[in-house]
């Protein structure tokens, strides 16, 4: 049996899925046909539903929930790991609601959190996350929202943080930040969904128990990232919520959608979201 699977190139995804994709665990006869892409591309592909299982930003999920459900394993939630709003060092006082802002995708949770924190900032342009810093440094744009490993290196590259959007979320809600979900199409049989969810949990557990085993797969897509940054990235984004959302994780996700709906950022709150 074959399942089409979309994952991002980020170290937390390649770490999480390595054992599953490369059959370092027993996958119960399931072959995973993998597409590796930027999370915003995966968000867009979910709109047409061509992948049976895929990584999604939680913001994007609100637009496709009628076709996908969230697996209990694999999500990126946590504390102190949210997106950062940055500008060139020395330009902090010049940033205002008229500034030109870069975001790593309209459907990303980073954009959702930015919209909650800065509702008056309307001049936003989508950009591949890795191109945000160079475009700010060149003066083409004034500021931007960074995600992934850039949070560990922005200061040494000459940028200043205007706001930690994760801290904003935590201070407002006292819940973990729902960043990325692993979702599966609703037309997949329920017993298969449950099997895949268990396999994904086992894949994470294998990676945790064999931390060097996924190095080749991780470095295949993260060649420009230094090893210490890779380790920090994985430690931050792969945590207990990745093994299971639990009541706290599910409550945080519901809170995200409730707040987004109350601010009229999304038209309706998703229902029947979770595979249990």
């Amino acid at each position: 049996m074959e399942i089409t699977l979309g994952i991002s190139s980020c170290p937390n995804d390649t770490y999480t899925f390595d054992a599953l994709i490369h059959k370092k665990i027993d996958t119960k006869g399931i072959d995973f046909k993998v597409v590796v892409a930027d999370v915003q591309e995966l968000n867009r592909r979910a709109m047409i539903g061509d992948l049976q299982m895929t990584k999604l930003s939680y913001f994007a999920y609100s637009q496709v929930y009628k076709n996908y459900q969230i697996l209990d394993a694999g999500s990126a939630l946590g504390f102190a790991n949210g997106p950062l709003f940055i500008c060139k060092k020395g330009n902090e006082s010049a940033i205002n609601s008229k500034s030109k802002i870069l975001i790593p995708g309209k459907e990303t949770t980073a954009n959702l959190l930015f919209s909650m924190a800065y509702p008056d900032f309307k001049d936003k342009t989508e950009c591949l996350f890795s191109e945000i810093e160079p475009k700010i440094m060149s003066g083409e744009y004034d500021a931007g929202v960074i995600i992934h490993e850039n949070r560990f290196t922005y200061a040494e590259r000459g940028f200043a943080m205007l706001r930690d959007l994760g801290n904003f979320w935590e201070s407002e809600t006292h819940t973990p930040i729902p960043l990325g979900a692993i979702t599966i199409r609703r037309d997949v049989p329920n017993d298969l969904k449950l099997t895949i969810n268990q396999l994904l949990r086992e894949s994470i557990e294998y990676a945790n128990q064999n931390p060097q085993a996924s190095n080749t797969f991780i470095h295949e897509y993260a060649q420009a990232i230094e090893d210490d940054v890779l380790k920090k990235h994985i430690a931050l984004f792969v945590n207990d919520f990745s093994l299971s959302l639990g009541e706290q994780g599910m409550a945080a996700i519901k809170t995200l959608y409730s707040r987004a709906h109350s601010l009229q950022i999304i038209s309706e709150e998703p229902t029947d979201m979770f595979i249990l």
Side-chain angles (χ1 to χ4, degrees), residues 36-60:
V36 181
D38 176 66
V39 69
Q40 180 61 5
E41 181 181 339
L42 296 175
N43 291 340
R44 296 281 167 79
R45 289 189 68 159
M47 304 300 170
I48 60 173
D50 63 336
L51 296 170
Q52 292 167 295
M53 179 179 173
T54 187
K55 169 76 169 280
L56 285 180
S57 299
Y58 270 105
F59 189 17

Side-chain angles (χ1 to χ4, degrees), residues 116-132:
M116 290 178 171
Y118 294 94
D120 297 331
F121 284 55
K122 303 296 186 184
D123 190 351
K124 297 188 290 186
T125 300
E126 294 182 82
C127 179
L128 185 66
F129 80 94
S130 57
E131 297 176 1
I132 288 176

Side-chain angles (χ1 to χ4, degrees), residues 8 10-18 55 73-81 151-152 177 179-180 182 200-209 211 214 218 229-244:
S8 80
C10 294
N12 55 299
D13 275 8
T14 46
Y15 176 91
T16 291
F17 283 95
D18 173 64
K55 169 76 169 280
S75 278
L77 279 82
F79 295 98
N81 63 358
R151 66 176 292 114
F152 301 110
I177 313 153
L179 296 169
I182 305 301
L200 181 52
R201 183 175 292 117
E202 290 175 12
S203 184
I204 299 168
E205 289 171 341
Y206 181 92
N208 290 342
Q209 293 162 10
S214 54
I218 292 169
V229 175
L230 285 174
K231 290 176 183 177
K232 289 177 183 177
H233 182 106
I234 292 166
L236 193 61
F237 292 103
V238 182
N239 52 41
D240 288 345
F241 292 112
S242 305
L243 291 169
S244 176

Side-chain angles (χ1 to χ4, degrees), residues 58-75:
Y58 270 105
F59 189 17
Y61 179 75
S62 68
Q63 300 173 50
V64 299
Y65 79 91
K66 292 178 181 178
N67 295 323
Y68 286 88
Q69 285 181 292
I70 299 168
L71 292 174
D72 186 52
S75 278

Side-chain angles (χ1 to χ4, degrees), residues 44-240:
R44 296 281 167 79
R45 289 189 68 159
M47 304 300 170
I48 60 173
D50 63 336
L51 296 170
Q52 292 167 295
M53 179 179 173
T54 187
K55 169 76 169 280
L56 285 180
S57 299
Y58 270 105
F59 189 17
Y61 179 75
S62 68
Q63 300 173 50
V64 299
Y65 79 91
K66 292 178 181 178
N67 295 323
Y68 286 88
Q69 285 181 292
I70 299 168
L71 292 174
D72 186 52
S75 278
L77 279 82
F79 295 98
N81 63 358
L84 307 178
F85 182 35
I86 66 163
C87 69
K88 192 188 300 186
K89 198 171 292 181
N91 287 0
E92 296 93 323
S93 62
I95 305 304
N96 56 51
S97 60
K98 299 292 192 277
S99 297
K100 296 166 65 178
I101 310 299
L102 287 171
I103 55 171
K106 187 172 69 174
E107 288 84 22
T108 60
T109 307
N111 182 41
L112 175 57
L113 293 176
F114 181 77
S115 300
M116 290 178 171
Y118 294 94
D120 297 331
F121 284 55
K122 303 296 186 184
D123 190 351
K124 297 188 290 186
T125 300
E126 294 182 82
C127 179
L128 185 66
F129 80 94
S130 57
E131 297 176 1
I132 288 176
E133 289 180 352
K135 290 188 176 185
I136 297 171
M137 188 56 72
S138 72
E140 187 179 354
Y141 291 86
D142 302 310
V145 180
I146 59 169
I147 56 175
H148 304 327
E149 62 275 0
N150 296 52
R151 66 176 292 114
F152 301 110
T153 57
Y154 72 92
E156 65 194 50
R157 292 178 180 173
F159 298 95
M161 182 173 65
L162 295 162
R163 194 168 197 178
D164 184 322
L165 297 173
N167 285 350
F168 159 76
W169 170 259
E170 291 173 38
S171 67
E172 290 280 313
T173 68
H174 307 289
T175 69
I177 313 153
L179 296 169
I182 305 301
T183 64
I184 193 163
R185 264 194 347 225
R186 290 183 183 271
D187 61 1
V188 174
N190 197 62
D191 59 343
L192 183 54
K193 291 176 187 173
L194 293 172
T195 297
I196 290 171
N197 186 72
Q198 180 57 34
L199 292 176
L200 181 52
R201 183 175 292 117
E202 290 175 12
S203 184
I204 299 168
E205 289 171 341
Y206 181 92
N208 290 342
Q209 293 162 10
N210 303 273
Q212 305 303 315
S214 54
N215 280 354
T216 299
F217 192 42
I218 292 169
H219 281 281
E220 182 179 349
Y221 293 98
Q223 296 174 6
I225 305 174
E226 296 179 1
D227 283 345
D228 64 327
V229 175
L230 285 174
K231 290 176 183 177
K232 289 177 183 177
H233 182 106
I234 292 166
L236 193 61
F237 292 103
V238 182
N239 52 41
D240 288 345

